[in-house]
Amino acid sequence: TRLCVLSAPPGFGKTTAVVDWLQVSGRSAAWLSLDEGDNDPGRFVPYLAAAILGAAGAPDGLARFEATNPLDVVAGLVALLEEPDAPHVVVLDDLHLIRDVGVLSIVESLVTYLPEDYMLVIITREDPPLRLSRLRAAGELLELRAEQPSFTEQEADRFFRGRMPLALSPAAVSPPPPPPHGWPPALPPPPPPP
């Protein structure tokens, strides 16, 4: 999978899910939390390069990264990822704040030219304005949306029985009405046994 998009409203546990996955998988990651100021390629690119270099243990290498045209920018970012200690996952958190066509073009190109066995993870509150159909058709896109990772009653039952050696009634593991929103980290714990 070249690109993973986690798209859900606030409070669904998107960031927690990615942090947990990175810890369990043992993969190194360059993490960039975006804000509205990153709608400028002149700011976005050095911050992304600094995140990649920082994750690779070379935070002072930013001085050698100088690129002005978009193709050179992407080539420079890909070259950073090809360094021996570079992270194999790049996370862009809060991509929904990015509207600048230039920044979005850089993100799209980065996905296209990522080295083999690398992944870009996008955390967002809405679908990113990127052309994803080619990746979807090639099976290189993993999409997780608000409605997908929700537990059914049977899955909640298996989750709690697997984590706690308790004999729980079906009522204890069924979600209260209305069903809670969010992904497994947001599922409430069962009530204590009587």
Side-chain angles (χ1 to χ4, degrees), residues 15-160:
T15 300
T16 301
V18 173
V19 168
D20 287 349
W21 170 71
L22 288 169
Q23 288 176 344
V24 168
S25 70
R27 296 180 86 174
S28 62
W31 193 291
L32 180 57
S33 294
L34 302 166
D35 62 39
E36 292 176 351
D38 295 317
N39 276 293
D40 172 10
R43 176 176 159 165
F44 172 78
V45 170
Y47 281 6
L48 181 56
I52 293 168
L53 288 164
D60 57 342
L62 190 57
R64 69 182 172 87
F65 184 82
E66 295 178 19
T68 53
N69 96 33
L71 292 176
D72 291 342
V73 166
V74 172
L77 290 170
V78 169
L80 289 177
L81 290 170
E82 291 174 335
E83 295 286 327
D85 294 326
H88 283 242
V89 178
V90 177
V91 180
L92 298 179
D93 196 356
D94 289 333
L95 191 76
H96 58 275
L97 298 173
I98 303 301
R99 301 283 182 235
D100 181 81
V101 175
V103 172
L104 293 169
S105 175
I106 290 168
V107 170
E108 208 163 64
S109 295
L110 184 59
V111 173
T112 301
Y113 297 108
L114 274 175
E116 194 70 28
D117 297 325
Y118 281 69
M119 178 188 290
L120 178 65
V121 176
I122 291 175
I123 302 172
T124 183
R125 294 182 182 175
E126 57 195 42
D127 284 348
L130 304 173
R131 296 175 298 217
L132 303 177
S133 57
R134 181 187 54 79
L135 291 171
R136 194 176 286 122
E140 294 180 336
L141 173 63
L142 174 61
E143 299 173 275
L144 297 174
R145 305 197 184 294
E147 63 278 359
Q148 289 170 313
S150 297
F151 278 148
T152 64
E153 285 187 33
Q154 293 80 18
E155 290 167 333
D157 182 57
R158 281 195 308 268
F159 175 81
F160 284 125

